[in-house]
mmCIF file of all heavy atoms in Angstrom:
data_model
loop_
_atom_site.group_PDB
_atom_site.id
_atom_site.type_symbol
_atom_site.label_atom_id
_atom_site.label_comp_id
_atom_site.label_asym_id
_atom_site.label_seq_id
_atom_site.Cartn_x
_atom_site.Cartn_y
_atom_site.Cartn_z
ATOM 1 N N ILE A 227 41.439 96.424 30.306
ATOM 2 C CA ILE A 227 42.737 97.105 30.345
ATOM 3 C C ILE A 227 43.843 96.124 29.960
ATOM 4 O O ILE A 227 43.915 95.014 30.476
ATOM 5 C CB ILE A 227 42.991 97.719 31.746
ATOM 6 C CG1 ILE A 227 42.050 98.913 31.929
ATOM 7 C CG2 ILE A 227 44.447 98.138 31.891
ATOM 8 C CD1 ILE A 227 42.076 99.495 33.312
ATOM 9 N N ILE A 228 44.647 96.547 29.011
ATOM 10 C CA ILE A 228 45.695 95.658 28.524
ATOM 11 C C ILE A 228 46.853 95.658 29.521
ATOM 12 O O ILE A 228 47.388 96.713 29.839
ATOM 13 C CB ILE A 228 46.177 96.122 27.134
ATOM 14 C CG1 ILE A 228 44.990 96.096 26.168
ATOM 15 C CG2 ILE A 228 47.350 95.294 26.647
ATOM 16 C CD1 ILE A 228 45.256 96.761 24.840
ATOM 17 N N PRO A 229 47.221 94.487 30.018
ATOM 18 C CA PRO A 229 48.315 94.455 30.980
ATOM 19 C C PRO A 229 49.574 95.068 30.381
ATOM 20 O O PRO A 229 49.887 94.830 29.214
ATOM 21 C CB PRO A 229 48.512 92.951 31.238
ATOM 22 C CG PRO A 229 47.257 92.294 30.766
ATOM 23 C CD PRO A 229 46.686 93.172 29.713
ATOM 24 N N GLU A 230 50.237 95.872 31.196
ATOM 25 C CA GLU A 230 51.404 96.599 30.686
ATOM 26 C C GLU A 230 52.503 95.659 30.220
ATOM 27 O O GLU A 230 52.751 94.624 30.834
ATOM 28 C CB GLU A 230 51.957 97.488 31.796
ATOM 29 C CG GLU A 230 51.998 98.946 31.369
ATOM 30 C CD GLU A 230 52.441 99.800 32.521
ATOM 31 O OE1 GLU A 230 53.655 99.886 32.698
ATOM 32 O OE2 GLU A 230 51.560 100.348 33.223
ATOM 33 N N GLY A 231 53.111 96.042 29.138
ATOM 34 C CA GLY A 231 54.263 95.280 28.670
ATOM 35 C C GLY A 231 53.896 94.009 27.931
ATOM 36 O O GLY A 231 54.747 93.358 27.346
ATOM 37 N N GLU A 232 52.622 93.654 27.950
ATOM 38 C CA GLU A 232 52.255 92.401 27.291
ATOM 39 C C GLU A 232 52.172 92.600 25.780
ATOM 40 O O GLU A 232 51.503 93.496 25.291
ATOM 41 C CB GLU A 232 50.906 91.904 27.799
ATOM 42 C CG GLU A 232 50.580 90.545 27.208
ATOM 43 C CD GLU A 232 49.230 90.023 27.686
ATOM 44 O OE1 GLU A 232 48.799 90.425 28.782
ATOM 45 O OE2 GLU A 232 48.642 89.221 26.957
ATOM 46 N N VAL A 233 52.860 91.773 25.058
ATOM 47 C CA VAL A 233 52.773 91.848 23.599
ATOM 48 C C VAL A 233 52.254 90.502 23.117
ATOM 49 O O VAL A 233 52.826 89.461 23.414
ATOM 50 C CB VAL A 233 54.155 92.122 22.964
ATOM 51 C CG1 VAL A 233 54.032 92.204 21.443
ATOM 52 C CG2 VAL A 233 54.747 93.404 23.527
ATOM 53 N N LYS A 234 51.153 90.537 22.422
ATOM 54 C CA LYS A 234 50.607 89.275 21.922
ATOM 55 C C LYS A 234 51.197 89.001 20.549
ATOM 56 O O LYS A 234 51.347 89.912 19.732
ATOM 57 C CB LYS A 234 49.095 89.364 21.833
ATOM 58 C CG LYS A 234 48.433 89.453 23.185
ATOM 59 C CD LYS A 234 47.086 88.773 23.186
ATOM 60 C CE LYS A 234 46.553 88.743 24.607
ATOM 61 N NZ LYS A 234 45.330 87.973 24.750
ATOM 62 N N SER A 235 51.521 87.770 20.317
ATOM 63 C CA SER A 235 51.984 87.470 18.977
ATOM 64 C C SER A 235 50.827 86.854 18.215
ATOM 65 O O SER A 235 50.064 86.071 18.754
ATOM 66 C CB SER A 235 53.159 86.502 19.031
ATOM 67 O OG SER A 235 52.708 85.275 19.536
ATOM 68 N N TYR A 236 50.663 87.270 16.997
ATOM 69 C CA TYR A 236 49.523 86.784 16.236
ATOM 70 C C TYR A 236 49.830 86.820 14.756
ATOM 71 O O TYR A 236 50.759 87.475 14.296
ATOM 72 C CB TYR A 236 48.288 87.634 16.528
ATOM 73 C CG TYR A 236 48.511 89.108 16.344
ATOM 74 C CD1 TYR A 236 48.384 89.688 15.082
ATOM 75 C CD2 TYR A 236 48.861 89.911 17.429
ATOM 76 C CE1 TYR A 236 48.593 91.035 14.911
ATOM 77 C CE2 TYR A 236 49.072 91.261 17.261
ATOM 78 C CZ TYR A 236 48.939 91.819 16.000
ATOM 79 O OH TYR A 236 49.146 93.153 15.821
ATOM 80 N N SER A 237 48.964 86.129 14.036
ATOM 81 C CA SER A 237 49.154 86.084 12.600
ATOM 82 C C SER A 237 48.201 87.067 11.946
ATOM 83 O O SER A 237 47.040 87.147 12.304
ATOM 84 C CB SER A 237 48.834 84.668 12.127
ATOM 85 O OG SER A 237 48.516 84.694 10.774
ATOM 86 N N THR A 238 48.700 87.853 11.015
ATOM 87 C CA THR A 238 47.780 88.681 10.245
ATOM 88 C C THR A 238 47.605 88.087 8.850
ATOM 89 O O THR A 238 47.116 88.742 7.958
ATOM 90 C CB THR A 238 48.259 90.143 10.136
ATOM 91 O OG1 THR A 238 49.535 90.121 9.529
ATOM 92 C CG2 THR A 238 48.294 90.830 11.468
ATOM 93 N N TYR A 239 48.020 86.867 8.687
ATOM 94 C CA TYR A 239 47.841 86.115 7.436
ATOM 95 C C TYR A 239 48.492 86.819 6.245
ATOM 96 O O TYR A 239 48.048 86.662 5.119
ATOM 97 C CB TYR A 239 46.352 85.877 7.154
ATOM 98 C CG TYR A 239 45.587 85.401 8.380
ATOM 99 C CD1 TYR A 239 44.750 86.259 9.088
ATOM 100 C CD2 TYR A 239 45.723 84.091 8.832
ATOM 101 C CE1 TYR A 239 44.069 85.835 10.213
ATOM 102 C CE2 TYR A 239 45.036 83.651 9.965
ATOM 103 C CZ TYR A 239 44.219 84.536 10.647
ATOM 104 O OH TYR A 239 43.553 84.119 11.759
ATOM 105 N N SER A 240 49.537 87.601 6.515
ATOM 106 C CA SER A 240 50.124 88.360 5.397
ATOM 107 C C SER A 240 50.800 87.432 4.397
ATOM 108 O O SER A 240 50.977 87.793 3.236
ATOM 109 C CB SER A 240 51.095 89.416 5.913
ATOM 110 O OG SER A 240 51.971 88.813 6.816
ATOM 111 N N ASP A 241 51.168 86.241 4.851
ATOM 112 C CA ASP A 241 51.828 85.340 3.899
ATOM 113 C C ASP A 241 50.875 84.283 3.339
ATOM 114 O O ASP A 241 51.301 83.369 2.646
ATOM 115 C CB ASP A 241 53.044 84.671 4.562
ATOM 116 C CG ASP A 241 52.705 84.167 5.953
ATOM 117 O OD1 ASP A 241 51.512 84.298 6.340
ATOM 118 O OD2 ASP A 241 53.590 83.638 6.646
ATOM 119 N N LEU A 242 49.587 84.443 3.638
ATOM 120 C CA LEU A 242 48.628 83.458 3.124
ATOM 121 C C LEU A 242 48.362 83.736 1.646
ATOM 122 O O LEU A 242 48.005 84.859 1.274
ATOM 123 C CB LEU A 242 47.314 83.545 3.910
ATOM 124 C CG LEU A 242 46.232 82.544 3.506
ATOM 125 C CD1 LEU A 242 46.594 81.138 3.954
ATOM 126 C CD2 LEU A 242 44.886 82.954 4.097
ATOM 127 N N SER A 243 48.564 82.743 0.818
ATOM 128 C CA SER A 243 48.307 82.960 -0.606
ATOM 129 C C SER A 243 47.642 81.724 -1.207
ATOM 130 O O SER A 243 48.271 80.696 -1.382
ATOM 131 C CB SER A 243 49.627 83.284 -1.310
ATOM 132 O OG SER A 243 49.394 83.338 -2.690
ATOM 133 N N ILE A 244 46.356 81.858 -1.454
ATOM 134 C CA ILE A 244 45.608 80.754 -2.065
ATOM 135 C C ILE A 244 45.224 81.205 -3.464
ATOM 136 O O ILE A 244 44.583 82.249 -3.626
ATOM 137 C CB ILE A 244 44.342 80.420 -1.242
ATOM 138 C CG1 ILE A 244 44.711 80.179 0.225
ATOM 139 C CG2 ILE A 244 43.615 79.218 -1.819
ATOM 140 C CD1 ILE A 244 43.522 80.140 1.169
ATOM 141 N N ARG A 245 45.618 80.486 -4.438
ATOM 142 C CA ARG A 245 45.345 80.885 -5.833
ATOM 143 C C ARG A 245 44.275 79.978 -6.433
ATOM 144 O O ARG A 245 44.169 78.816 -6.062
ATOM 145 C CB ARG A 245 46.625 80.767 -6.688
ATOM 146 C CG ARG A 245 47.726 81.733 -6.319
ATOM 147 C CD ARG A 245 47.352 83.182 -6.670
ATOM 148 N NE ARG A 245 47.454 84.001 -5.462
ATOM 149 C CZ ARG A 245 46.602 84.939 -5.088
ATOM 150 N NH1 ARG A 245 45.535 85.204 -5.793
ATOM 151 N NH2 ARG A 245 46.769 85.621 -3.986
ATOM 152 N N PRO A 246 43.502 80.492 -7.369
ATOM 153 C CA PRO A 246 42.500 79.640 -8.029
ATOM 154 C C PRO A 246 43.165 78.432 -8.703
ATOM 155 O O PRO A 246 44.229 78.581 -9.322
ATOM 156 C CB PRO A 246 41.890 80.566 -9.085
ATOM 157 C CG PRO A 246 42.187 81.950 -8.627
ATOM 158 C CD PRO A 246 43.470 81.878 -7.868
ATOM 159 N N ARG A 247 42.543 77.272 -8.545
ATOM 160 C CA ARG A 247 43.083 76.059 -9.166
ATOM 161 C C ARG A 247 43.127 76.267 -10.676
ATOM 162 O O ARG A 247 42.140 76.680 -11.287
ATOM 163 C CB ARG A 247 42.155 74.884 -8.831
ATOM 164 C CG ARG A 247 42.867 73.699 -8.247
ATOM 165 C CD ARG A 247 41.883 72.586 -7.945
ATOM 166 N NE ARG A 247 41.378 71.989 -9.186
ATOM 167 C CZ ARG A 247 40.358 71.132 -9.224
ATOM 168 N NH1 ARG A 247 39.713 70.807 -8.114
ATOM 169 N NH2 ARG A 247 39.972 70.611 -10.375
ATOM 170 N N GLU A 248 44.264 75.958 -11.248
ATOM 171 C CA GLU A 248 44.433 76.332 -12.654
ATOM 172 C C GLU A 248 43.535 75.578 -13.614
ATOM 173 O O GLU A 248 43.065 76.114 -14.606
ATOM 174 C CB GLU A 248 45.893 76.198 -13.046
ATOM 175 C CG GLU A 248 46.606 77.474 -12.656
ATOM 176 C CD GLU A 248 48.060 77.472 -12.983
ATOM 177 O OE1 GLU A 248 48.494 76.602 -13.756
ATOM 178 O OE2 GLU A 248 48.758 78.358 -12.449
ATOM 179 N N ASP A 249 43.278 74.319 -13.284
ATOM 180 C CA ASP A 249 42.453 73.514 -14.191
ATOM 181 C C ASP A 249 40.954 73.666 -13.899
ATOM 182 O O ASP A 249 40.140 72.918 -14.402
ATOM 183 C CB ASP A 249 42.843 72.040 -14.048
ATOM 184 C CG ASP A 249 42.720 71.569 -12.600
ATOM 185 O OD1 ASP A 249 42.729 72.438 -11.693
ATOM 186 O OD2 ASP A 249 42.593 70.359 -12.374
ATOM 187 N N PHE A 250 40.619 74.637 -13.067
ATOM 188 C CA PHE A 250 39.214 74.777 -12.662
ATOM 189 C C PHE A 250 38.503 75.774 -13.558
ATOM 190 O O PHE A 250 38.999 76.874 -13.811
ATOM 191 C CB PHE A 250 39.149 75.237 -11.199
ATOM 192 C CG PHE A 250 37.802 75.058 -10.560
ATOM 193 C CD1 PHE A 250 37.490 73.884 -9.890
ATOM 194 C CD2 PHE A 250 36.841 76.062 -10.632
ATOM 195 C CE1 PHE A 250 36.248 73.714 -9.295
ATOM 196 C CE2 PHE A 250 35.599 75.902 -10.048
ATOM 197 C CZ PHE A 250 35.304 74.722 -9.372
ATOM 198 N N GLU A 251 37.328 75.383 -14.018
ATOM 199 C CA GLU A 251 36.593 76.311 -14.888
ATOM 200 C C GLU A 251 35.606 77.132 -14.056
ATOM 201 O O GLU A 251 34.666 76.595 -13.481
ATOM 202 C CB GLU A 251 35.821 75.526 -15.961
ATOM 203 C CG GLU A 251 35.295 76.432 -17.056
ATOM 204 C CD GLU A 251 34.019 75.884 -17.725
ATOM 205 O OE1 GLU A 251 33.699 74.703 -17.511
ATOM 206 O OE2 GLU A 251 33.371 76.665 -18.425
ATOM 207 N N PHE A 252 35.844 78.432 -13.968
ATOM 208 C CA PHE A 252 34.936 79.315 -13.220
ATOM 209 C C PHE A 252 33.929 79.911 -14.201
ATOM 210 O O PHE A 252 34.200 80.918 -14.857
ATOM 211 C CB PHE A 252 35.725 80.424 -12.520
ATOM 212 C CG PHE A 252 36.570 79.942 -11.372
ATOM 213 C CD1 PHE A 252 37.929 79.693 -11.545
ATOM 214 C CD2 PHE A 252 36.007 79.731 -10.113
ATOM 215 C CE1 PHE A 252 38.705 79.250 -10.486
ATOM 216 C CE2 PHE A 252 36.791 79.282 -9.056
ATOM 217 C CZ PHE A 252 38.138 79.041 -9.243
ATOM 218 N N ARG A 253 32.773 79.288 -14.304
ATOM 219 C CA ARG A 253 31.725 79.786 -15.218
ATOM 220 C C ARG A 253 31.357 81.233 -14.893
ATOM 221 O O ARG A 253 31.063 82.041 -15.764
ATOM 222 C CB ARG A 253 30.460 78.918 -15.104
ATOM 223 C CG ARG A 253 30.462 77.642 -15.898
ATOM 224 C CD ARG A 253 30.471 77.855 -17.397
ATOM 225 N NE ARG A 253 29.431 78.767 -17.890
ATOM 226 C CZ ARG A 253 29.566 79.545 -18.950
ATOM 227 N NH1 ARG A 253 30.709 79.558 -19.618
ATOM 228 N NH2 ARG A 253 28.565 80.316 -19.347
ATOM 229 N N ALA A 254 31.360 81.545 -13.610
ATOM 230 C CA ALA A 254 30.914 82.871 -13.167
ATOM 231 C C ALA A 254 31.727 84.004 -13.789
ATOM 232 O O ALA A 254 31.240 85.124 -13.930
ATOM 233 C CB ALA A 254 30.974 82.954 -11.649
#
Side-chain angles (χ1 to χ4, degrees):
I227 289 173
I228 300 169
E230 237 175 84
E232 185 180 334
V233 180
K234 292 213 173 187
S235 66
Y236 53 85
S237 158
T238 58
Y239 314 104
S240 49
D241 45 3
L242 182 72
S243 173
I244 307 167
R245 294 291 124 222
R247 232 180 70 190
E248 275 180 14
D249 56 339
F250 196 91
E251 192 208 347
F252 290 98
R253 278 294 309 149

